[in-house]
């Protein structure tokens, strides 16, 4: 299964088609750990001129911005923080910084591929399942209006 995460036929995509709340999950692989975590919800949205993503449920959160790059495609920079902590921005706390690339793998899946600390993290964004506020039942999930 881990091998298939890197199996990408990269397809072009405009981020505006993926604005909204989505069902997401994280795969992580490091020297001593390989795991797939439960589904959570994340949100892709436009904040002024920038596209952003936020993990909005669970015990650990992350968020950051997407930037176009002529070589890499869509680049992500962001940070993570624990539930109950203030939101961290990229560059504020270098040990919390995250960077990666966003790929559309097939018609139903985006992958945010991150190098984080000493492991690889892949956030799967299931674009077949747009969530509405009434579908969000994860503990700690914050409903907001967009």
């Amino acid at each position: 299964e881990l091998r298939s995460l890197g199996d990408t036929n990269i397809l072009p995509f405009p981020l505006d088609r993926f604005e909204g709340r989505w069902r997401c999950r994280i795969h992580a692989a490091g020297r001593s750990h390989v795991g797939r975590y439960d589904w959570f919800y994340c949100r892709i949205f436009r904040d002024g001129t920038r596209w952003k993503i936020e993990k909005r449920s669970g015990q650990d959160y992350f968020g950051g911005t997407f930037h176009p790059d002529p070589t890499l495609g869509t680049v992500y920079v962001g940070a993570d923080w624990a539930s109950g902590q203030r939101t961290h921005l990229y560059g504020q706390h270098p040990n919390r910084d995250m960077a990666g690339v966003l790929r559309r793998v097939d018609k139903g899946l985006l992958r945010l591929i991150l190098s984080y600390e000493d492991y690889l993290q892949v956030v799967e964004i299931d674009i077949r399942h747009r969530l509405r506020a009434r579908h969000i039942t994860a503990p700690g999930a914050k409903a907001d209006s967009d």
Side-chain angles (χ1 to χ4, degrees), residues 23 32 34 53 61-62 94 100 107-109 111 115 119 141:
R23 188 173 82 146
S32 61
V34 173
I53 186 170
Y61 301 127
F62 70 81
K107 290 183 180 183
L109 191 63
R111 285 194 182 130
S115 173
Y119 59 94

Side-chain angles (χ1 to χ4, degrees), residues 104-110 125-129:
R104 183 171 182 190
V105 185
D106 62 30
K107 290 183 180 183
L109 191 63
L110 297 176
I125 304 165
D126 184 351
I127 55 178
R128 296 167 297 188
H129 294 92

Side-chain angles (χ1 to χ4, degrees), residues 71-111:
T71 306
L72 299 172
T74 303
V75 174
Y76 166 82
V77 293
D80 77 338
W81 60 93
S83 177
Q85 289 184 338
R86 299 174 92 197
T87 300
H88 293 223
L89 300 175
Y90 183 83
Q92 284 182 322
H93 302 279
N95 62 326
R96 309 306 303 181
D97 287 350
M98 306 168 84
V101 293
L102 183 67
R103 298 281 189 247
R104 183 171 182 190
V105 185
D106 62 30
K107 290 183 180 183
L109 191 63
L110 297 176
R111 285 194 182 130

Side-chain angles (χ1 to χ4, degrees), residues 13-140:
F13 62 94
L15 275 172
D16 60 345
R17 289 193 50 220
F18 306 112
E19 186 166 14
R21 293 180 182 97
W22 303 100
R23 188 173 82 146
C24 302
R25 70 177 167 188
I26 293 176
H27 298 262
R31 280 184 243 152
S32 61
H33 174 75
V34 173
R36 179 177 64 193
Y37 298 93
D38 289 336
W39 292 101
F40 58 89
Y41 88 90
C42 58
R43 181 173 79 123
I44 296 175
F45 62 102
R46 191 174 185 95
D47 183 16
T49 59
R50 295 183 181 175
W51 283 100
K52 294 187 170 191
I53 186 170
E54 291 180 331
K55 178 182 185 279
R56 306 278 298 171
S57 63
Q59 295 181 24
D60 298 310
Y61 301 127
F62 70 81
T65 57
F66 293 113
H67 305 272
D69 181 273
T71 306
L72 299 172
T74 303
V75 174
Y76 166 82
V77 293
D80 77 338
W81 60 93
S83 177
Q85 289 184 338
R86 299 174 92 197
T87 300
H88 293 223
L89 300 175
Y90 183 83
Q92 284 182 322
H93 302 279
N95 62 326
R96 309 306 303 181
D97 287 350
M98 306 168 84
V101 293
L102 183 67
R103 298 281 189 247
R104 183 171 182 190
V105 185
D106 62 30
K107 290 183 180 183
L109 191 63
L110 297 176
R111 285 194 182 130
L112 178 56
I113 303 164
L114 303 164
S115 173
Y116 181 67
E117 293 180 346
D118 61 347
Y119 59 94
L120 175 70
Q121 200 173 60
V122 177
V123 180
E124 283 189 333
I125 304 165
D126 184 351
I127 55 178
R128 296 167 297 188
H129 294 92
R130 184 182 301 267
L131 302 176
R132 306 283 185 242
R134 69 180 179 276
H135 296 132
I136 300 168
T137 58

